[in-house]
Amino acid sequence: MNLKRVLSIAQKEVYHIVRDPFTLAMALGLPLILVTIFGLAIEFNMKEIGISVYDGDKSVASRSLLRAFSSSDYFHLNHTDRLPEAISILDHEQSKAALLIEPGFEKNLGSEKTAQAQILIDGADNSTVGVILGYLSGVQNQFGRNVGQTLSGSTAPFRTRYLFNPELNSRWFTVPGLIVIVVAILSILLTALTIAREWENGSMELLLSTPVRPIEIVIGKLLPYSLLGVGSVVFVYGLARVAFGVPFVGSHWFYGLSVLLFISAYLAQGLLISVVTRNQQLSMQLALISGLLPSVLLSGFVFPIENMPRFFHYLTSIFPAKWFMIISRSLFLKGSEPHELIKPFVALVVLNVVLMGVATKLFKKDVEP
Amino acid sequence: MSGVEGGPNYSVEVEGLRVQFGDFIAVKDISFNVNAGEIFGFLGANGAGKTTTIRVLCGLLEPNLGDVRVMGLNPKQGLDAIKSRVGYMSQRFTLYDDLTVDENLSFAASLRKLTREKFSRRKKDLLEFIGFERPLNTLVKNLPGGLKQQVSLCAATLHDPDIVFLDEPTAGVTPTYRARFWSLIRSMAASGKTVFVTTHYMDEAEQCDRIALMRDGSLIALDSPGGLKRSTFPEPIYEISSSREKLDEFWFESIKKRPEILKIQPHGLRYHAQLSKGVVEGQLRELVSSGCVVRVIPPSLEDVFIRLVEGGLP
Ligand SMILES: Nc1ncnc2c1ncn2[C@@H]1O[C@H](COP(=O)(O)OP(=O)(O)OP(=O)(O)O)[C@@H](O)[C@H]1O
Ligand SMILES: [Mg+2]
């Protein structure tokens, strides 16, 4: 392999990128737009969520729970005196959720029995359910600290993941996940397009009529996009930390390593797509279906994987996005030690080996006479 | 039999070459040699197998059968040696439109691992050779098609190859630029390079030293333009024209039926005729009215190809 040749192929690719408005817009504009939309829009919509409250216990503990709610800016409590009223308000959509504290709440809290406080959520508003759940679990956590112990899981299907966002900030949860989307677009979509373009217009053949090695073409063409990917991750990371104040409590080097693995897996997928299609339009469609859609829908970014049917637990495992999402969120919010993230990390490595292996093998077979 | 040292000097040797795409045989066991330093025209209708043959010779496609040598080198013993001595201008793609002339050239140079000195010397020479006068930072998409092909020729010959394969280099180019391109081809051949060129233009075919004609994957003729004309039309062709009376449809139908006429075809306002065996020119003159002018003309290459392609193997 000849480094100078690789670099000149990379340089040519940079010319293509900076002279094509579409690619340039994708590369520079998209991360900014996505972060702004997800970061700001969710914030505005999710303030002052109406919750109707029925406190059947009226004890110190129940008031402490309500305080945990009202002390945050995110909830607006509508007190009701009767149980049916609390539910009917929910029916009329004045509240997004109802908090029902049963009589004997405090008593059960002290004992070994399960303390009862139910939360009903307006399931019709699909988009807010996950966010409310996230907030609620934060409240639960705070309440646990207030009364010196945590509530048991019976109050709502609270997910431990959400517990690590104690300030009830949805952006904290969204922005780390955004990195997955941005990398999906930059790596899968753009590489699939660029290599397919060389096939489509016949220039691949001209490249191959020179002594250039197939592997030099691959590395040279992928290099700018991997840098673009890393750049966008740094950008989103910086924005998340500085503009939105998202904490990062994990290990940076472990995160960096995972980012590289994730990017290279997606580059390999892009290469694979372009080898199979040799056509830009098909590549674009395949990249959207096999790359972007799973990254958004099946990575846990929008829909928690735990809530999906069993089948999807397995299906999502073949997408690098799921594993990287776990690592990303854990490191940002939870501060997990690397050894706790062995499983997603190994999964990323395995997917990398498989994707890289298949893609380069197919590519080599494709270009060799 | 190779042209490395001594013996006949061939740039390309092809022996029983067959290329198959699935069940479809695109090139059917063809054999030919290309002399060093000649302009070798490779002709044939669309889909005849020209590009496929060139791709094999450039090491881009592996033949199903047969032996190929380029500059005495066998592709099976490594493609790099061949690739470094071959220049290729492909039919489908020439230069990156969104790169400047300079960027395209230096990209081609770096793929070939030219040193900086060699590149700048070759670039200067070649741009002088094609008479390029625009700024080097012109984007290729802003060049006229004919000029783009010339720059592409530079890119294909930066590494000073011994042989260049030009696949329809003048397709879609204005006549002025075509003539200019062919003068470049002639100077390259004069400087000792072998030029292997495909074209659909007859006037260009006339300028080749030798022409190979492909039909449906088979090589049906190979000779110099003059030789092809002589062998395809051993008997003279007569041109019949008249300035006084109109040689109309009716006249044509009646003379066509005469036993002395073997074949007659309209060419514009004139007719090209061949006589049956044993019939001499005087008999033709008697046959047509006195107002007609009869003269012997050389067959055009077009006549040759029509006859060869229609008539099968000569
Ligand atoms: N990769 C391929 N797969 C299948 N068929 C092919 C392939 N490449 C060429 N062919 C077929 O082989 C035949 C010869 O094609 P080729 O490109 O060599 O023709 P050509 O003489 O260069 O024609 P043209 O004048 O149109 O360039 C055509 O029928 C073409 O469809
Ligand atoms: Mg062709």
Side-chain angles (χ1 to χ4, degrees), chain B residues 100-147:
Chain B
T100 66
V101 171
D102 206 24
E103 286 160 358
N104 265 292
L105 291 178
S106 55
F107 179 62
S110 62
L111 292 184
R112 301 275 185 186
K113 290 210 273 186
L114 297 195
T115 61
R116 195 179 292 273
E117 299 77 48
K118 174 148 191 211
F119 169 54
S120 54
R121 185 163 42 80
R122 286 292 294 166
K123 182 168 77 173
K124 186 170 154 290
D125 290 353
L126 285 167
L127 290 176
E128 233 163 65
F129 173 62
I130 66 168
F132 191 81
E133 276 162 352
R134 300 185 186 225
L136 283 183
N137 61 4
T138 314
L139 285 179
V140 165
K141 64 165 162 258
N142 297 331
L143 293 181
L147 202 49

Side-chain angles (χ1 to χ4, degrees), chain B residues 21 24 26 45-52 55 91 168 200:
Chain B
F21 298 111
F24 174 70
N46 290 341
K50 306 179 296 288
T51 300
T52 306
R55 290 177 65 212
Q91 173 180 7
E168 295 192 32
H200 287 292

Side-chain angles (χ1 to χ4, degrees), chain A residues 16 19 198 200 208 213, chain B residues 80 83 92 96 98 103:
Chain A
H16 289 322
R19 285 172 199 169
E198 301 261 4
E200 200 176 299
L208 295 170
R213 300 260 170 277
Chain B
D80 278 3
K83 285 179 176 177
R92 281 180 59 205
Y96 293 97
D98 54 344
E103 286 160 358

Side-chain angles (χ1 to χ4, degrees), chain A residues 278, chain B residues 19-22 24-27 42-55 61 91 167-168 198-200 214 217:
Chain A
R278 287 191 174 201
Chain B
V19 181
Q20 224 164 315
F21 298 111
F24 174 70
I25 306 179
V27 176
F42 207 47
L43 278 76
N46 290 341
K50 306 179 296 288
T51 300
T52 306
T53 306
I54 291 181
R55 290 177 65 212
L61 197 64
Q91 173 180 7
D167 199 353
E168 295 192 32
T198 76
T199 178
H200 287 292
M214 296 278 289

